[in-house]
Every structure is written in structure tokens, then in C-alpha cells.
Amino acid sequence: MSRLFSSSQVLGSSGSKMASFGKVTHCIFDMDGLLLDTEILYTQVTQSIADPYGKKYTWEIKQSVMGMQRDEAAEAIVAALELPLTAEEYVKISTERINSIMEQCQLMPGAERLVRHLHQHKIPIALATSSGADSVEVKTKNHQELFELFNHKVMGSSDPDVKEGKPAPDIFLVAASRFPDKPAPAQCLVFEDAPNGVTAAIAAGMQAVMVPDERVEEDQRKHATVVLRSLEDFRPEDFGLPAFT
């Protein structure tokens, strides 16, 4: 059953464990908004496309498309903002602008520490992002050493095996199937920031650690196994993983 905790509830005032979760052996990470601070850049790009038409890219629209594959998100944004563009035209414009600024993106708090910790302790880790391979290459350009630590990367917008984007479970099931030892879904722990991603993880039969934007409402967090303010608050031992030293 899903549980909803703030990070203070997970850790407890004295740092003692207050919740029991299923033991896992493999970890799967989303990228945008979870490992890399890209969401503000996506918002800037989308608003720059909407500005000439007097449209506002609201948080409600943004939240509804977070985690979607590129083409699906483009269709949804064009429809929601009633832009006089085709989805293909939107993708072309947005891709050019995103590629020009995404090299600036920084790591989210706690991301590098956690990824390096799991790798050091030989916990298999994979990336499962809705971005395409070309986009991932741009975003990770200044963080290549860290992203090379992942066993493999599943990039939904360019991976033919990912038939449906989040909130469908496809991307996480594909990511799990590509670990050499083929873990069962219950052995996998997903890290996500977006409601669509959490829904996909739970649908895949996996536990989900959610690190949401503070604007995500409580009813959009309720399906997560645990909700944290930051990856810095994650306690690996709660899921049977090696503790930080």
C-alpha cells in the first residue's frame, strides 16, 4: 500500500526509522527535475514560444505534461495553449531553444551523492527518462562522469521498446528488463519528481520515492511510497540498501 510522508516523518525527529518498506536490490531514476534541475529551463522555453501569442504556460498545464514523451507533450501543450502551430512545428522550435540552454543545467541537491553511493556499493542503477537520446546528450554534457555510472539508460522519446509514455508503466518495465539479472518489478525502487512518473512506477509494480515540486498538491502525491523534500533526505537503509556513512 502507498504511504505519504514528509521527509521529517520518514526520518523522525531523532533520526530513527519510522516506516517499513519493501527491500529492493535495483534502483531506477528519472532525470528531469529529479537528478537535473531542468524544469525551470523547460518552463522558460515554453513560455518564450507562448509569448508572441499572448498565452501563459501555467503550472497546471506544466504538471499535466511532466513525464510525457516529447511528441505527446508537444501535442498537449499546443492544445492547452491554443497555439497556431502543429505539434511538429512546436517540437522543432522548442528543441532548438532547449538545446541552446540545457548545457547550463545543474544537478539537484543530493543527486550526485546518492548515485555515487549506490554505484560504490554495487547497487545496479538505471536511468529512465522520457527525453530522447539527443536531448539527454545535451543535458548531461557537463555531468558525463556521473551519468556514465548508470548500468544503462532508457530514453523514452527515442526508444522503440517504450510504446507508451508515463503514466503508462512501459519505461520502467523496459528499464528493469535490461538489467543483466532481470529483477522482478518488486525488487526495483523508482525515484521520481512528477505525478505521471509515480503513477507509472506504481503501475509497473515498483515502489516510488517522490521528490516533488513544492507546488504539487497533496492528492497528486498520495500514490508515492514515500515523499521527500530532497534526495538529501533519502535513507537507503529504509529499503534494505547500504546506509550512507
Side-chain angles (χ1 to χ4, degrees), residues 24-27 117-118 123 189 191 234 236-243:
V24 299
T25 54
H26 298 63
C27 293
H117 171 77
L118 294 173
I123 302 301
L189 180 63
F191 293 83
F234 179 65
E237 63 269 30
D238 286 350
F239 292 89
L241 298 168

Side-chain angles (χ1 to χ4, degrees), residues 183-218:
Q187 294 177 267
C188 299
L189 180 63
V190 171
F191 293 83
E192 263 285 355
D193 68 305
N196 282 337
V198 171
T199 299
I202 300 302
M206 303 174 184
Q207 296 178 91
V209 174
M210 187 183 197
V211 187
D213 184 289
E214 61 184 11
R215 293 169 292 182
V216 174
E217 296 182 1
E218 187 169 329

Side-chain angles (χ1 to χ4, degrees), residues 58-134:
T58 64
W59 166 250
E60 288 71 27
I61 298 173
K62 179 180 177 68
Q63 182 174 227
S64 71
V65 302
M66 288 174 68
M68 287 185 179
Q69 295 182 15
R70 181 189 64 187
D71 293 347
E72 183 184 12
E75 291 180 4
I77 290 171
V78 167
L81 295 176
E82 299 179 329
L83 300 177
L85 301 169
T86 64
E88 291 76 14
E89 289 170 335
Y90 179 89
V91 167
K92 183 176 185 298
I93 297 169
S94 63
T95 299
E96 290 174 351
R97 296 186 185 183
I98 286 168
N99 288 346
S100 71
I101 67 170
M102 277 299 174
E103 289 183 14
Q104 305 171 19
C105 69
Q106 301 298 311
L107 293 167
M108 295 291 281
E112 182 166 12
R113 176 195 183 212
L114 177 55
V115 170
R116 290 192 182 279
H117 171 77
L118 294 173
H119 180 264
Q120 178 184 352
H121 289 277
K122 296 180 170 50
I123 302 301
I125 54 176
L127 192 72
T129 173
S130 296
S131 296
D134 53 347

Side-chain angles (χ1 to χ4, degrees), residues 173-190:
L173 293 173
V174 170
S177 73
R178 291 182 183 171
F179 284 114
D181 54 348
K182 312 289 186 186
Q187 294 177 267
C188 299
L189 180 63
V190 171

